[in-house]
Amino acid sequence: MRNAAMATLALAILRVVLGYIFVMHGWQKYNDIGIAGMQAGFSQMGVPNAEVFAVLVILLELVGGVLLIVGFLSRPIAALLAVEMIGAWVLVHAPNGFFVNENGYELVLILAAAALTIALAGPGRFSLDYAVFGRRKSKLRALA
């Protein structure tokens, strides 16, 4: 297989797996903890505007994860998810060290890097972005 084909496949795999991880994390927050629980947890962790950000994080992870899986609006969604993970790193996980079993930043670091990769490289040819924006000479072609 040529390098371009391998890169296309790699981006699709990364995008789908990353989207699935975010959907599962968003669902866990919504279903197991709940919005009120997330708001209380964010307040306790010192997250500014915890009431608003708890809802935004749940929505971003659920909806953004689904959008990544299908590859629609992948670059802006991935950029938002990268910013969210960097925020989680700085505000919550950094003081706990590296390892995830100690609530460290190991997981949020790799999720931020993966999301940033999609934001910079794009979703690849196996995406709705490419189908909708990639084949036309459009100002929105940068999304593909």
Side-chain angles (χ1 to χ4, degrees):
M1 213 184 250
R2 295 183 341 209
N3 285 344
M6 290 291 240
T8 296
L9 182 59
L11 284 172
I13 292 168
L14 178 63
R15 195 189 72 246
V16 170
V17 170
L18 183 65
Y20 179 72
I21 291 169
F22 276 114
V23 167
M24 295 304 291
H25 278 266
W27 181 250
Q28 179 188 36
K29 288 175 177 77
Y30 177 75
N31 192 53
D32 295 351
I33 301 168
I35 292 173
M38 285 300 299
Q39 290 170 325
F42 276 20
S43 289
Q44 189 177 30
M45 289 182 264
V47 175
N49 298 318
E51 295 78 20
V52 173
F53 278 111
V55 174
L56 290 177
V57 162
I58 292 170
L59 281 173
L60 177 61
E61 290 182 3
L62 282 170
V63 175
V66 170
L67 290 173
L68 279 183
I69 290 169
V70 298
F72 190 67
L73 300 175
S74 302
R75 285 180 189 251
I77 292 297
L80 288 171
L81 288 166
V83 168
E84 177 200 347
M85 290 298 99
I86 292 167
W89 179 6
V90 171
L91 294 173
V92 179
H93 298 282
N96 301 320
F98 179 76
F99 296 105
V100 73
N101 66 329
E102 297 169 0
N103 201 27
Y105 58 86
E106 178 180 13
L107 178 63
V108 297
L109 179 62
I110 192 64
L111 292 175
L116 189 57
T117 299
I118 298 297
L120 294 173
R125 291 184 146 205
F126 302 134
S127 66
L128 283 178
D129 285 333
Y130 185 80
V132 173
F133 307 117
R135 297 183 184 187
R136 290 188 268 214
K137 293 187 179 186
S138 159
K139 292 180 182 176
L140 297 176
R141 184 172 168 84
L143 291 174

